[in-house]
Amino acid sequence: MVSCLLLQALVVAPATAEGVDGLQRAPVAAVTQDALGQKGDQNAQTALFLPFDAQTGIAAFWSGPDFIVVADQPVPAMMRASGGTGVFSGLTVTMLDHATLLRIPLPQHPALRLSRQKEGWQLQAPEPASLQKKDEQTAQAPSGAAGGGAAPASAAASTSASAPAPATTAAATSTSATTTTAAATSTSAGSSSPSSSSTATLSSGGAASLHTITAQPAPGYVLFPLQQPGHEFELPDPATGARLLIATSRTASGGVAQAQHAVGYSVRPTLEGVVVEADADQIVMQGTAKGAVLHAVSLHPVPVGLPLPEQVTEASRQKDWQWFGLQEASPATLAAEREDKLAALAKTSPRQKKAATFAAAQAAFASGAFQKAATLLADMPETTPDSGSASAAGSASQRPEIALRAASALLAGNLKGAQALAAPEWISLPEFHLWQGLYGLYAGQNSQRTVILLAAGFAQAQHYPAPLRDRIAPAMALYIARYGTPATVRMMAPLPDGPAYDLPRALLQAREGKTETARVALENLTASDDAQRAAIARTEIVRLMQDADLIAPDMAADVYRKLLKGENGASPAPADIRTLTAVGLAHALIRNGEPKVALSVLEGLQPSADVPEDVLAEAYRAALYRLVFNGASASLGLPPGSEEELSVTQRTALVAQGLPHVPDGAEKAKLLLGYGRLLLEAGHADTAATAFSQAIAMQADPQARAEGEELLAQAAMQAHQLALAQMALDHAVSPLMPDDLAARKAYDAARVAQARGETDKAQTLLAHDESDAGLDLRGQLYEADHRWADAVLVVGRLASRGLPQDGALTEVQRALAFRLATDAAAARDWETLHRLKDWLAGRTLGRERDALFTLLLRQMPRSAASH
């Protein structure tokens, strides 16, 4: 029969797990106290075990209707926990390259307990029925899980303060705010208290002493002390997209008791770890052995912590001059004093040896003999920091020695010996911001932060004695000229005269558009007697000419290779310049359409003074963009090249290897969306869903997140994960969603409804969708319900667009024509079948379809056939 020939849509049985509405908002309950954990009545609790080992730090906090747990390591075992059970049934897990993100929809904000166990952490929420029973017994307020959330009270309310509140105030406020839920929690707990676990929970004021993270303001920064700090990173807030700075803890710290607000940032309540919402881009978080440090890096920083001391204008009274033994004297005088101090050291008694050694090291440092100063200090017994010292910066009495040791090691090329300069205490001393910038320069740290410290200290460096100034100032000028913003570049104006500044001067000329002047200057510098300066000039002139389109990318790549090998009479690039040259080669290869070769060049490179970590990461990102978007490189400013012949599988494999080198953020999110589309094209729906989930977690813009959620829904449907697809569609919201995205979302929702057998819902969602995909799906739905007349109307509109009036038909067009014919025959719509016959005008649909089409035509009544 004709009906047997009809194409039927595949109808999947309804899924058992429904999507969770995560869009509601509820007051944030301050569930942030620390106490010894008790085993509790497992029948009265819903628990979720988190298998995070002792080396993995976590942070836990509320984000709108969701409870968020972030681990600072990728934990593949958590991927099996998605879906959860009971209260945690809406759990989703996203594993990033350097973190694991858990998102649990709990719109009612129940009271939660987080316990540190031997093998990991345990998150517990009271069972609604259990709490209702206890409410009847104790006449307490209704539980959040069953009746509307824990009362936010004063602990959840924010307080206006420029610095965190004292510990006693926070403790008192938290106690008063959480008493109502404490009884239910403590009653459900058992009597045993194993020493292997500690718990952050709501507790009554008398149940246990409070242990929470109490911020410690200092001049220029705020320290959040943690007994066992984890790592620090940034993520956008899942609910609002706000920039969150997160510091994790590897052991139970009790979290932050209450919200605090200050200029440029606010501190959120947490159940574990520290979470700061940074309104200003200049606010950064730095990890130390004692905890997380919050401060501002800017030419005009917002006030963080206590006010910085006023900087002394007289150089001899500044601490760097005093501690380094600097003085305004000629190089000859400084060298002579060094020799005098060394001679005195040779004659000194053992009792006075340490003081004499330190004095000799100061004289050596001031005269420019940095390696000699480092050697002297290495032979001198190192002062043991006071037990109460906050970090490697030591107490006030130890700082001169620590500062001189670190500065000498830094200028002697011993980066490890200079690590003390990274300690937060130097933030409190404006004289040492310059030295923190120098440490960032030589350590290859983020250029945009380092350049601010260097630019702010450039005038300070110009006033140092000549041996020290000539060692550091030209390197600072080169770095600022290469990576600085217009504002930081202006801090050097006017650039000092002299050959030491010719290289940064040429780079500044190039930035100003004086290409020919800069090219001539760099050409002259390639003949410099300074091998390092000449090597940098040779590399920079290639980059200048390529940026100005004076040489083609393939020619630039050839020159870079010769510089690395030392061909054509040029000396091989020095070891500390090779990274700069190699990154230049990688960019030339990317422009030439050879991203695979570029990635092989970048492999193994480490950040350096010439190539900071963010600049190296940008080279990786550019190569991966070329692989993912395959020639669509206009957004990168790249000319088209002869792309490498790579299959989709090869491209996705290369992207997967390179992604860990790109830092998390909006740019990586864009890359992941393209990568996910490639994976879908290759038929890897599960891996694509992971990529889309990662992109969503990194994206702050609501519209971009909604687009990611819609792509995630597509991938989930292809992977037959209907619950995940529905959850993604529920989250795909944006205040200004474009019409095309809204249409795609409606289409996806209809496909989910179709797979669940909800035909009427699917038709309602597609009622206004006149796209080809929408009409196709509507036709499938009508065909599945045997509503042939409706199917003819919809498929007919689709055919009127897709079937040409003359010319051979493609395979897709043939299938569409035959589909309309079978629908029309089933509906006994002979008029449509007749018009289709005339439209085809004898064109073939393929041997088998032609035969079947002839059978359908023979079934037409003679009156219809002759009409």
Side-chain angles (χ1 to χ4, degrees), residues 17-19 689 709-732 745 748-749 751-753 755-756:
E18 296 292 329
E709 296 282 10
E710 190 273 330
L711 288 169
L712 174 58
Q714 289 187 34
M717 281 185 284
Q718 287 193 27
H720 308 293
Q721 300 181 38
L722 296 183
L724 176 59
Q726 184 63 60
M727 186 179 296
L729 292 172
D730 290 341
H731 289 159
K745 177 184 175 183
D748 294 337
R751 287 182 60 198
V752 173
R756 288 176 165 170

PDB file of all heavy atoms in Angstrom, residues 17-19 689 709-732 745 748-749 751-753 755-756:
ATOM      1  N   ALA A  17      14.115  11.740  32.849  1.00  0.00           N
ATOM      2  CA  ALA A  17      14.655  12.874  33.601  1.00  0.00           C
ATOM      3  C   ALA A  17      14.263  14.165  32.913  1.00  0.00           C
ATOM      4  O   ALA A  17      14.579  14.394  31.768  1.00  0.00           O
ATOM      5  CB  ALA A  17      16.175  12.767  33.692  1.00  0.00           C
ATOM      6  N   GLU A  18      13.547  14.988  33.583  1.00  0.00           N
ATOM      7  CA  GLU A  18      13.125  16.253  33.016  1.00  0.00           C
ATOM      8  C   GLU A  18      14.185  17.309  33.292  1.00  0.00           C
ATOM      9  O   GLU A  18      14.977  17.204  34.205  1.00  0.00           O
ATOM     10  CB  GLU A  18      11.791  16.680  33.634  1.00  0.00           C
ATOM     11  CG  GLU A  18      10.642  15.738  33.323  1.00  0.00           C
ATOM     12  CD  GLU A  18      10.266  15.784  31.856  1.00  0.00           C
ATOM     13  OE1 GLU A  18      10.430  16.853  31.230  1.00  0.00           O
ATOM     14  OE2 GLU A  18       9.822  14.761  31.330  1.00  0.00           O
ATOM     15  N   GLY A  19      14.180  18.380  32.491  1.00  0.00           N
ATOM     16  CA  GLY A  19      15.124  19.474  32.720  1.00  0.00           C
ATOM     17  C   GLY A  19      14.767  20.230  33.988  1.00  0.00           C
ATOM     18  O   GLY A  19      13.636  20.247  34.445  1.00  0.00           O
ATOM     19  N   ALA A 689      29.698  18.319  23.011  1.00  0.00           N
ATOM     20  CA  ALA A 689      28.931  18.809  24.158  1.00  0.00           C
ATOM     21  C   ALA A 689      29.869  19.276  25.268  1.00  0.00           C
ATOM     22  O   ALA A 689      29.622  20.306  25.921  1.00  0.00           O
ATOM     23  CB  ALA A 689      28.006  17.705  24.678  1.00  0.00           C
ATOM     24  N   GLU A 709      24.601  27.676  24.812  1.00  0.00           N
ATOM     25  CA  GLU A 709      23.606  26.730  25.323  1.00  0.00           C
ATOM     26  C   GLU A 709      22.820  26.101  24.170  1.00  0.00           C
ATOM     27  O   GLU A 709      22.497  24.901  24.205  1.00  0.00           O
ATOM     28  CB  GLU A 709      22.652  27.437  26.292  1.00  0.00           C
ATOM     29  CG  GLU A 709      23.290  27.978  27.570  1.00  0.00           C
ATOM     30  CD  GLU A 709      23.549  26.895  28.611  1.00  0.00           C
ATOM     31  OE1 GLU A 709      23.406  25.706  28.289  1.00  0.00           O
ATOM     32  OE2 GLU A 709      23.903  27.260  29.751  1.00  0.00           O
ATOM     33  N   GLU A 710      22.496  26.895  23.154  1.00  0.00           N
ATOM     34  CA  GLU A 710      21.753  26.349  22.018  1.00  0.00           C
ATOM     35  C   GLU A 710      22.591  25.309  21.268  1.00  0.00           C
ATOM     36  O   GLU A 710      22.090  24.254  20.860  1.00  0.00           O
ATOM     37  CB  GLU A 710      21.353  27.488  21.079  1.00  0.00           C
ATOM     38  CG  GLU A 710      20.368  27.083  19.985  1.00  0.00           C
ATOM     39  CD  GLU A 710      21.050  26.534  18.742  1.00  0.00           C
ATOM     40  OE1 GLU A 710      22.195  26.969  18.458  1.00  0.00           O
ATOM     41  OE2 GLU A 710      20.462  25.670  18.069  1.00  0.00           O
ATOM     42  N   LEU A 711      23.890  25.579  21.119  1.00  0.00           N
ATOM     43  CA  LEU A 711      24.770  24.600  20.477  1.00  0.00           C
ATOM     44  C   LEU A 711      24.910  23.352  21.347  1.00  0.00           C
ATOM     45  O   LEU A 711      24.968  22.225  20.826  1.00  0.00           O
ATOM     46  CB  LEU A 711      26.144  25.234  20.217  1.00  0.00           C
ATOM     47  CG  LEU A 711      26.189  26.272  19.094  1.00  0.00           C
ATOM     48  CD1 LEU A 711      27.526  27.013  19.105  1.00  0.00           C
ATOM     49  CD2 LEU A 711      25.981  25.606  17.733  1.00  0.00           C
ATOM     50  N   LEU A 712      24.959  23.558  22.659  1.00  0.00           N
ATOM     51  CA  LEU A 712      25.017  22.414  23.569  1.00  0.00           C
ATOM     52  C   LEU A 712      23.761  21.557  23.418  1.00  0.00           C
ATOM     53  O   LEU A 712      23.842  20.314  23.430  1.00  0.00           O
ATOM     54  CB  LEU A 712      25.164  22.895  25.010  1.00  0.00           C
ATOM     55  CG  LEU A 712      25.096  21.823  26.106  1.00  0.00           C
ATOM     56  CD1 LEU A 712      26.176  20.760  25.888  1.00  0.00           C
ATOM     57  CD2 LEU A 712      25.235  22.462  27.491  1.00  0.00           C
ATOM     58  N   ALA A 713      22.612  22.190  23.262  1.00  0.00           N
ATOM     59  CA  ALA A 713      21.374  21.430  23.069  1.00  0.00           C
ATOM     60  C   ALA A 713      21.443  20.591  21.797  1.00  0.00           C
ATOM     61  O   ALA A 713      21.024  19.429  21.777  1.00  0.00           O
ATOM     62  CB  ALA A 713      20.179  22.390  23.018  1.00  0.00           C
ATOM     63  N   GLN A 714      21.994  21.176  20.721  1.00  0.00           N
ATOM     64  CA  GLN A 714      22.146  20.413  19.483  1.00  0.00           C
ATOM     65  C   GLN A 714      23.030  19.185  19.696  1.00  0.00           C
ATOM     66  O   GLN A 714      22.696  18.074  19.267  1.00  0.00           O
ATOM     67  CB  GLN A 714      22.756  21.297  18.392  1.00  0.00           C
ATOM     68  CG  GLN A 714      21.858  22.379  17.851  1.00  0.00           C
ATOM     69  CD  GLN A 714      22.495  23.071  16.660  1.00  0.00           C
ATOM     70  OE1 GLN A 714      23.205  22.450  15.869  1.00  0.00           O
ATOM     71  NE2 GLN A 714      22.258  24.365  16.536  1.00  0.00           N
ATOM     72  N   ALA A 715      24.178  19.399  20.356  1.00  0.00           N
ATOM     73  CA  ALA A 715      25.102  18.291  20.584  1.00  0.00           C
ATOM     74  C   ALA A 715      24.472  17.228  21.473  1.00  0.00           C
ATOM     75  O   ALA A 715      24.628  16.025  21.244  1.00  0.00           O
ATOM     76  CB  ALA A 715      26.397  18.814  21.203  1.00  0.00           C
ATOM     77  N   ALA A 716      23.762  17.677  22.511  1.00  0.00           N
ATOM     78  CA  ALA A 716      23.126  16.726  23.422  1.00  0.00           C
ATOM     79  C   ALA A 716      22.083  15.882  22.711  1.00  0.00           C
ATOM     80  O   ALA A 716      21.947  14.684  22.963  1.00  0.00           O
ATOM     81  CB  ALA A 716      22.511  17.470  24.603  1.00  0.00           C
ATOM     82  N   MET A 717      21.332  16.498  21.805  1.00  0.00           N
ATOM     83  CA  MET A 717      20.327  15.722  21.063  1.00  0.00           C
ATOM     84  C   MET A 717      20.997  14.696  20.154  1.00  0.00           C
ATOM     85  O   MET A 717      20.543  13.562  20.040  1.00  0.00           O
ATOM     86  CB  MET A 717      19.435  16.671  20.257  1.00  0.00           C
ATOM     87  CG  MET A 717      18.372  17.352  21.102  1.00  0.00           C
ATOM     88  SD  MET A 717      17.235  18.355  20.122  1.00  0.00           S
ATOM     89  CE  MET A 717      18.238  19.781  19.766  1.00  0.00           C
ATOM     90  N   GLN A 718      22.087  15.093  19.517  1.00  0.00           N
ATOM     91  CA  GLN A 718      22.797  14.128  18.675  1.00  0.00           C
ATOM     92  C   GLN A 718      23.370  12.987  19.512  1.00  0.00           C
ATOM     93  O   GLN A 718      23.500  11.867  19.025  1.00  0.00           O
ATOM     94  CB  GLN A 718      23.918  14.820  17.899  1.00  0.00           C
ATOM     95  CG  GLN A 718      23.442  15.701  16.773  1.00  0.00           C
ATOM     96  CD  GLN A 718      24.562  16.116  15.852  1.00  0.00           C
ATOM     97  OE1 GLN A 718      25.563  15.423  15.713  1.00  0.00           O
ATOM     98  NE2 GLN A 718      24.403  17.270  15.221  1.00  0.00           N
ATOM     99  N   ALA A 719      23.730  13.297  20.768  1.00  0.00           N
ATOM    100  CA  ALA A 719      24.273  12.273  21.663  1.00  0.00           C
ATOM    101  C   ALA A 719      23.173  11.540  22.423  1.00  0.00           C
ATOM    102  O   ALA A 719      23.468  10.748  23.316  1.00  0.00           O
ATOM    103  CB  ALA A 719      25.246  12.910  22.650  1.00  0.00           C
ATOM    104  N   HIS A 720      21.907  11.834  22.098  1.00  0.00           N
ATOM    105  CA  HIS A 720      20.747  11.187  22.726  1.00  0.00           C
ATOM    106  C   HIS A 720      20.697  11.465  24.232  1.00  0.00           C
ATOM    107  O   HIS A 720      20.315  10.610  25.015  1.00  0.00           O
ATOM    108  CB  HIS A 720      20.759   9.675  22.470  1.00  0.00           C
ATOM    109  CG  HIS A 720      20.898   9.323  21.023  1.00  0.00           C
ATOM    110  ND1 HIS A 720      19.918   9.596  20.096  1.00  0.00           N
ATOM    111  CD2 HIS A 720      21.917   8.729  20.330  1.00  0.00           C
ATOM    112  CE1 HIS A 720      20.315   9.193  18.894  1.00  0.00           C
ATOM    113  NE2 HIS A 720      21.520   8.659  19.003  1.00  0.00           N
ATOM    114  N   GLN A 721      21.071  12.676  24.621  1.00  0.00           N
ATOM    115  CA  GLN A 721      20.989  13.096  26.023  1.00  0.00           C
ATOM    116  C   GLN A 721      19.894  14.169  26.121  1.00  0.00           C
ATOM    117  O   GLN A 721      20.170  15.364  26.161  1.00  0.00           O
ATOM    118  CB  GLN A 721      22.330  13.644  26.506  1.00  0.00           C
ATOM    119  CG  GLN A 721      23.478  12.638  26.429  1.00  0.00           C
ATOM    120  CD  GLN A 721      24.781  13.228  26.946  1.00  0.00           C
ATOM    121  OE1 GLN A 721      24.807  13.982  27.919  1.00  0.00           O
ATOM    122  NE2 GLN A 721      25.876  12.876  26.292  1.00  0.00           N
ATOM    123  N   LEU A 722      18.652  13.720  26.155  1.00  0.00           N
ATOM    124  CA  LEU A 722      17.527  14.650  26.093  1.00  0.00           C
ATOM    125  C   LEU A 722      17.442  15.538  27.323  1.00  0.00           C
ATOM    126  O   LEU A 722      17.068  16.714  27.228  1.00  0.00           O
ATOM    127  CB  LEU A 722      16.224  13.877  25.912  1.00  0.00           C
ATOM    128  CG  LEU A 722      16.090  13.085  24.604  1.00  0.00           C
ATOM    129  CD1 LEU A 722      14.712  12.441  24.539  1.00  0.00           C
ATOM    130  CD2 LEU A 722      16.333  13.978  23.403  1.00  0.00           C
ATOM    131  N   ALA A 723      17.766  15.001  28.501  1.00  0.00           N
ATOM    132  CA  ALA A 723      17.704  15.805  29.725  1.00  0.00           C
ATOM    133  C   ALA A 723      18.705  16.954  29.655  1.00  0.00           C
ATOM    134  O   ALA A 723      18.396  18.092  30.030  1.00  0.00           O
ATOM    135  CB  ALA A 723      17.974  14.934  30.944  1.00  0.00           C
ATOM    136  N   LEU A 724      19.919  16.663  29.171  1.00  0.00           N
ATOM    137  CA  LEU A 724      20.931  17.716  29.027  1.00  0.00           C
ATOM    138  C   LEU A 724      20.491  18.740  27.991  1.00  0.00           C
ATOM    139  O   LEU A 724      20.669  19.951  28.180  1.00  0.00           O
ATOM    140  CB  LEU A 724      22.270  17.093  28.634  1.00  0.00           C
ATOM    141  CG  LEU A 724      23.421  18.074  28.359  1.00  0.00           C
ATOM    142  CD1 LEU A 724      23.701  18.931  29.590  1.00  0.00           C
ATOM    143  CD2 LEU A 724      24.676  17.328  27.932  1.00  0.00           C
ATOM    144  N   ALA A 725      19.894  18.274  26.895  1.00  0.00           N
ATOM    145  CA  ALA A 725      19.411  19.201  25.872  1.00  0.00           C
ATOM    146  C   ALA A 725      18.341  20.130  26.429  1.00  0.00           C
ATOM    147  O   ALA A 725      18.360  21.346  26.191  1.00  0.00           O
ATOM    148  CB  ALA A 725      18.868  18.419  24.680  1.00  0.00           C
ATOM    149  N   GLN A 726      17.404  19.581  27.207  1.00  0.00           N
ATOM    150  CA  GLN A 726      16.347  20.409  27.783  1.00  0.00           C
ATOM    151  C   GLN A 726      16.915  21.410  28.782  1.00  0.00           C
ATOM    152  O   GLN A 726      16.511  22.579  28.821  1.00  0.00           O
ATOM    153  CB  GLN A 726      15.314  19.517  28.480  1.00  0.00           C
ATOM    154  CG  GLN A 726      14.124  20.291  29.040  1.00  0.00           C
ATOM    155  CD  GLN A 726      13.332  20.980  27.942  1.00  0.00           C
ATOM    156  OE1 GLN A 726      12.806  20.339  27.044  1.00  0.00           O
ATOM    157  NE2 GLN A 726      13.266  22.301  27.990  1.00  0.00           N
ATOM    158  N   MET A 727      17.886  20.971  29.598  1.00  0.00           N
ATOM    159  CA  MET A 727      18.504  21.877  30.569  1.00  0.00           C
ATOM    160  C   MET A 727      19.226  23.014  29.857  1.00  0.00           C
ATOM    161  O   MET A 727      19.146  24.180  30.271  1.00  0.00           O
ATOM    162  CB  MET A 727      19.475  21.103  31.462  1.00  0.00           C
ATOM    163  CG  MET A 727      20.067  21.938  32.596  1.00  0.00           C
ATOM    164  SD  MET A 727      21.180  20.968  33.645  1.00  0.00           S
ATOM    165  CE  MET A 727      20.021  19.771  34.316  1.00  0.00           C
ATOM    166  N   ALA A 728      19.924  22.681  28.765  1.00  0.00           N
ATOM    167  CA  ALA A 728      20.627  23.716  28.012  1.00  0.00           C
ATOM    168  C   ALA A 728      19.635  24.728  27.435  1.00  0.00           C
ATOM    169  O   ALA A 728      19.876  25.943  27.468  1.00  0.00           O
ATOM    170  CB  ALA A 728      21.451  23.075  26.897  1.00  0.00           C
ATOM    171  N   LEU A 729      18.519  24.262  26.921  1.00  0.00           N
ATOM    172  CA  LEU A 729      17.525  25.175  26.364  1.00  0.00           C
ATOM    173  C   LEU A 729      16.895  26.043  27.451  1.00  0.00           C
ATOM    174  O   LEU A 729      16.591  27.217  27.227  1.00  0.00           O
ATOM    175  CB  LEU A 729      16.444  24.379  25.635  1.00  0.00           C
ATOM    176  CG  LEU A 729      16.909  23.670  24.354  1.00  0.00           C
ATOM    177  CD1 LEU A 729      15.817  22.756  23.833  1.00  0.00           C
ATOM    178  CD2 LEU A 729      17.297  24.697  23.296  1.00  0.00           C
ATOM    179  N   ASP A 730      16.718  25.485  28.644  1.00  0.00           N
ATOM    180  CA  ASP A 730      16.195  26.276  29.755  1.00  0.00           C
ATOM    181  C   ASP A 730      17.160  27.396  30.136  1.00  0.00           C
ATOM    182  O   ASP A 730      16.745  28.483  30.558  1.00  0.00           O
ATOM    183  CB  ASP A 730      15.951  25.384  30.973  1.00  0.00           C
ATOM    184  CG  ASP A 730      14.773  24.437  30.774  1.00  0.00           C
ATOM    185  OD1 ASP A 730      13.953  24.714  29.880  1.00  0.00           O
ATOM    186  OD2 ASP A 730      14.692  23.422  31.491  1.00  0.00           O
ATOM    187  N   HIS A 731      18.456  27.125  30.009  1.00  0.00           N
ATOM    188  CA  HIS A 731      19.465  28.129  30.369  1.00  0.00           C
ATOM    189  C   HIS A 731      19.733  29.123  29.245  1.00  0.00           C
ATOM    190  O   HIS A 731      20.403  30.138  29.471  1.00  0.00           O
ATOM    191  CB  HIS A 731      20.780  27.435  30.748  1.00  0.00           C
ATOM    192  CG  HIS A 731      20.730  26.704  32.047  1.00  0.00           C
ATOM    193  ND1 HIS A 731      21.607  25.703  32.384  1.00  0.00           N
ATOM    194  CD2 HIS A 731      19.895  26.828  33.098  1.00  0.00           C
ATOM    195  CE1 HIS A 731      21.320  25.239  33.596  1.00  0.00           C
ATOM    196  NE2 HIS A 731      20.274  25.912  34.049  1.00  0.00           N
ATOM    197  N   ALA A 732      19.284  28.814  28.022  1.00  0.00           N
ATOM    198  CA  ALA A 732      19.568  29.660  26.865  1.00  0.00           C
ATOM    199  C   ALA A 732      18.646  30.875  26.874  1.00  0.00           C
ATOM    200  O   ALA A 732      17.655  30.931  26.145  1.00  0.00           O
ATOM    201  CB  ALA A 732      19.406  28.868  25.565  1.00  0.00           C
ATOM    202  N   LYS A 745      16.462  28.157  18.883  1.00  0.00           N
ATOM    203  CA  LYS A 745      16.112  27.605  20.186  1.00  0.00           C
ATOM    204  C   LYS A 745      14.732  26.943  20.146  1.00  0.00           C
ATOM    205  O   LYS A 745      14.542  25.838  20.675  1.00  0.00           O
ATOM    206  CB  LYS A 745      16.143  28.709  21.250  1.00  0.00           C
ATOM    207  CG  LYS A 745      15.726  28.235  22.635  1.00  0.00           C
ATOM    208  CD  LYS A 745      15.685  29.378  23.631  1.00  0.00           C
ATOM    209  CE  LYS A 745      15.145  28.902  24.967  1.00  0.00           C
ATOM    210  NZ  LYS A 745      15.021  30.010  25.944  1.00  0.00           N
ATOM    211  N   ASP A 748      15.038  23.679  18.315  1.00  0.00           N
ATOM    212  CA  ASP A 748      15.659  22.646  19.157  1.00  0.00           C
ATOM    213  C   ASP A 748      14.661  22.127  20.197  1.00  0.00           C
ATOM    214  O   ASP A 748      14.596  20.920  20.463  1.00  0.00           O
ATOM    215  CB  ASP A 748      16.891  23.212  19.868  1.00  0.00           C
ATOM    216  CG  ASP A 748      18.004  23.558  18.901  1.00  0.00           C
ATOM    217  OD1 ASP A 748      18.036  22.996  17.796  1.00  0.00           O
ATOM    218  OD2 ASP A 748      18.845  24.412  19.249  1.00  0.00           O
ATOM    219  N   ALA A 749      13.910  23.053  20.807  1.00  0.00           N
ATOM    220  CA  ALA A 749      12.922  22.634  21.806  1.00  0.00           C
ATOM    221  C   ALA A 749      11.864  21.734  21.170  1.00  0.00           C
ATOM    222  O   ALA A 749      11.397  20.761  21.788  1.00  0.00           O
ATOM    223  CB  ALA A 749      12.269  23.865  22.441  1.00  0.00           C
ATOM    224  N   ARG A 751      12.386  19.737  18.635  1.00  0.00           N
ATOM    225  CA  ARG A 751      13.023  18.430  18.396  1.00  0.00           C
ATOM    226  C   ARG A 751      13.047  17.604  19.684  1.00  0.00           C
ATOM    227  O   ARG A 751      12.831  16.385  19.654  1.00  0.00           O
ATOM    228  CB  ARG A 751      14.446  18.627  17.877  1.00  0.00           C
ATOM    229  CG  ARG A 751      14.527  19.112  16.443  1.00  0.00           C
ATOM    230  CD  ARG A 751      15.966  19.236  15.994  1.00  0.00           C
ATOM    231  NE  ARG A 751      16.642  17.940  16.074  1.00  0.00           N
ATOM    232  CZ  ARG A 751      17.977  17.806  16.088  1.00  0.00           C
ATOM    233  NH1 ARG A 751      18.747  18.878  16.046  1.00  0.00           N
ATOM    234  NH2 ARG A 751      18.517  16.603  16.150  1.00  0.00           N
ATOM    235  N   VAL A 752      13.325  18.282  20.809  1.00  0.00           N
ATOM    236  CA  VAL A 752      13.304  17.562  22.089  1.00  0.00           C
ATOM    237  C   VAL A 752      11.892  17.054  22.367  1.00  0.00           C
ATOM    238  O   VAL A 752      11.693  15.900  22.787  1.00  0.00           O
ATOM    239  CB  VAL A 752      13.799  18.465  23.230  1.00  0.00           C
ATOM    240  CG1 VAL A 752      13.609  17.784  24.586  1.00  0.00           C
ATOM    241  CG2 VAL A 752      15.270  18.822  23.033  1.00  0.00           C
ATOM    242  N   ALA A 753      10.904  17.908  22.146  1.00  0.00           N
ATOM    243  CA  ALA A 753       9.513  17.490  22.361  1.00  0.00           C
ATOM    244  C   ALA A 753       9.149  16.336  21.429  1.00  0.00           C
ATOM    245  O   ALA A 753       8.465  15.389  21.828  1.00  0.00           O
ATOM    246  CB  ALA A 753       8.577  18.671  22.144  1.00  0.00           C
ATOM    247  N   ALA A 755      11.183  14.075  20.235  1.00  0.00           N
ATOM    248  CA  ALA A 755      11.842  12.861  20.721  1.00  0.00           C
ATOM    249  C   ALA A 755      11.130  12.292  21.928  1.00  0.00           C
ATOM    250  O   ALA A 755      11.167  11.076  22.168  1.00  0.00           O
ATOM    251  CB  ALA A 755      13.306  13.165  21.058  1.00  0.00           C
ATOM    252  N   ARG A 756      10.457  13.146  22.698  1.00  0.00           N
ATOM    253  CA  ARG A 756       9.726  12.691  23.869  1.00  0.00           C
ATOM    254  C   ARG A 756       8.293  12.297  23.533  1.00  0.00           C
ATOM    255  O   ARG A 756       7.513  11.945  24.417  1.00  0.00           O
ATOM    256  CB  ARG A 756       9.717  13.787  24.932  1.00  0.00           C
ATOM    257  CG  ARG A 756      11.082  13.979  25.603  1.00  0.00           C
ATOM    258  CD  ARG A 756      11.048  15.130  26.578  1.00  0.00           C
ATOM    259  NE  ARG A 756      12.218  15.108  27.462  1.00  0.00           N
ATOM    260  CZ  ARG A 756      12.551  16.092  28.283  1.00  0.00           C
ATOM    261  NH1 ARG A 756      11.804  17.184  28.343  1.00  0.00           N
ATOM    262  NH2 ARG A 756      13.618  15.992  29.057  1.00  0.00           N
TER     263      ARG A 756
END
